[in-house]
DNA sequence: GTCAATTTGTGAAAAATATCACGACTTATT
DNA sequence: AATAAGTCGTGATATTTTTCACAAATTGAC
């Protein structure tokens, strides 16, 4: 676990940087400054420099950063070379969106199997990912450590418990339920309804002419 | 407007509190303590009390909070009574998920129309929401001020520009593109691929036995 | 080679957020 | 009525994150 001194706020921005550096490279750019990158990813340039500095001196004064070098560095740091298997639980509209989305491109994660309670869906495939019945979760899950939860909120607790007891260590939870897990399991909540409400709240209650970007 | 002293971090939690208070009321509970609420929403109880305190003294020492009262208060604060119209741009899997999701229940937002570039989709309806062709955006958008962007990243800039020039003030952006907007337009990015990558990164690089919950 | 223009890396300061911890008050019990 | 248990509201503190601002290094032009 090498550098656990990296602030979480920084860690969350790393994949974003990585993706934009990839874009730059594909555009044939060889160098980039924190200022340019700042405009592209909408993060303050001082913040970008600070973020990078946690990994050492990656740039060159008066020059900026070498795209190729930086990209190579982040590839290692973000473990882009090893693919992490992911299970998708719940093949509704949202789940289907994930299956069709080609995560593996520019990404170190891959959805390798999916589950759904609808028997009509089991046995089929979407985006090359096989779908199994939720009853077969324990049997089929194998050694997958990360799950995306796109099921009805009412099922969240029960399914989470099964996932956890099968050894899942990370859950990306799209249900409105706030699930309970042991201390060694990490949950990220993405609550679409709340995001929308928060946006509306900010629109109505916060001054509309600052440059701040929230979230 | 009114209280712009409320910290943004607090503002983002308000819709969450609101939803759980609703749940409590439906369960017939009349009172709740910050401790109970803390367990339900997974936010530290001191943080909850602090959050509530920005609105004044809403609770009672030794008793907790009256669910009905608190709910009424937040209903006003979060403008739950006035419905905000929202436009959905891009009726793919993700967009369809939004259309089928009944936002209006427990919510102050409503998707009133959708757009897509696929002519086969225009004229149809999903979840009671009419779908128009993207070419008719300017004509049909009307006075809607908030948009959900679920289109391919390549289209993001062009569509954003059109939305902005038609008067949109808030955008919930699900594309990987970081869009540029004038200072008076608010954008929240929700980047699904990055969320997944960040989760994987945390799993690999951060101690796995703390109680912290990130997002 | 010199000089102006860039741009990093970072100490220091500021801002934002979260948490501790306790006095004050309420409720419930006996 | 007194006491114990529970709980808020908040001053103070701690932690995290962002931003400023500038010395040092590099580049590129002439």
């Amino acid at each position: 676990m090498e550098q656990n001194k990296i602030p979480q706020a920084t860690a969350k921005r790393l994949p974003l940087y990585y993706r934009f550096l990839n874009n730059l490279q594909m555009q044939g750019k060889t160098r980039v400054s924190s200022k340019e990158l700042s405009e592209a990813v909408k993060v303050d340039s001082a913040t970008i420099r600070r973020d990078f500095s946690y990994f050492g001196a990656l740039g060159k004064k008066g020059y900026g950063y070498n795209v190729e070098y930086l990209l190579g560095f982040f590839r290692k740091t973000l473990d882009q070379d090893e693919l992490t298997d992911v299970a998708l639980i719940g093949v509704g509209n949202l789940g289907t969106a994930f299956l069709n989305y080609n995560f593996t491109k520019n990404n170190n994660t891959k959805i390798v199997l999916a589950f759904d309670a609808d028997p009509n869906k089991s046995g089929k495939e979407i985006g090359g990912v096989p779908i199994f019945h939720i009853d077969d979760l324990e049997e089929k899950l194998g050694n997958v450590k990360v799950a995306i939860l796109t099921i009805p909120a009412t099922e969240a607790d029960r399914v989470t418990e099964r996932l956890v007891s099968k050894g899942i260590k990370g859950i990306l939870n799209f249900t409105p339920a706030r699930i309970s897990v042991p201390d060694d399991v990490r949950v990220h909540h993405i609550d679409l309804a709340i995001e929308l409400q928060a946006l509306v709240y900010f629109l109505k209650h916060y001054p509309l002419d600052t440059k701040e970007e929230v979230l």
Side-chain angles (χ1 to χ4, degrees), chain A residues 86-90 98 103 111 146-150 170-174:
Chain A
V86 176
L88 178 91
I89 322 292
F98 276 109
F103 268 128
I111 300 175
V146 180
I148 300 174
L149 218 56
T150 48
I171 298 176
L172 198 56
N173 175 25
F174 284 89

Side-chain angles (χ1 to χ4, degrees), chain A residues 149 153 156-157 160 171-173 175-181 187-189:
Chain A
L149 218 56
D157 283 333
T160 298
I171 298 176
L172 198 56
N173 175 25
T175 78
R178 286 334 224 208
I179 55 184
S180 296
V181 294
V187 178
H188 284 207
H189 296 280

Side-chain angles (χ1 to χ4, degrees), chain A residues 34-187:
Chain A
S34 60
K35 188 147 162 283
E36 285 174 273
L37 206 48
S38 169
E39 276 152 29
V41 302
K42 319 284 184 200
V43 171
D44 185 88
S45 68
T47 301
I48 292 177
R49 292 200 300 282
R50 174 78 62 195
D51 283 346
F52 288 2
S53 77
Y54 291 117
F55 299 99
L58 303 176
K60 224 185 213 174
K61 297 179 183 185
Y63 173 88
Y65 300 90
N66 180 289
V67 173
E68 181 108 12
Y69 176 75
L70 206 51
L71 206 48
F73 185 85
F74 278 125
R75 178 156 31 237
K76 278 179 290 171
T77 303
L78 290 174
D79 315 293
Q80 289 295 326
D81 294 328
E82 40 180 308
L83 214 56
T84 298
D85 289 344
V86 176
L88 178 91
I89 322 292
V91 189
N93 286 119
L94 187 53
T96 304
F98 276 109
L99 294 181
N100 285 319
Y101 194 107
N102 190 351
F103 268 128
T104 321
K105 197 175 177 180
N106 261 4
N107 220 299
N108 58 341
T109 54
K110 184 179 186 182
I111 300 175
V112 293
L113 78 178
F115 296 93
D116 199 281
D118 180 353
N120 294 321
K121 288 178 183 162
S122 349
K124 301 218 171 92
E125 251 188 28
I126 297 180
V129 179
I131 303 170
F132 300 105
H133 192 273
I134 187 74
D135 286 350
D136 301 331
L137 183 69
E138 282 77 5
E139 183 194 337
K140 301 285 186 186
L141 192 57
N143 200 34
V144 176
K145 293 296 177 212
V146 180
I148 300 174
L149 218 56
T150 48
I151 58 180
T154 46
E155 307 298 322
D157 283 333
R158 230 159 33 83
V159 171
T160 298
E161 204 177 342
R162 291 173 64 191
L163 288 171
V164 167
S165 65
K166 198 67 178 76
I168 286 279
K169 294 301 176 196
I171 298 176
L172 198 56
N173 175 25
F174 284 89
T175 78
R178 286 334 224 208
I179 55 184
S180 296
V181 294
D183 283 353
D184 67 335
V185 177
R186 196 174 272 273
V187 178

Side-chain angles (χ1 to χ4, degrees), chain A residues 202-203 206-212:
Chain A
F202 280 122
L203 281 180
Y206 283 72
L208 297 144
D209 53 359
T210 50
K211 73 228 161 280
E212 49 178 345

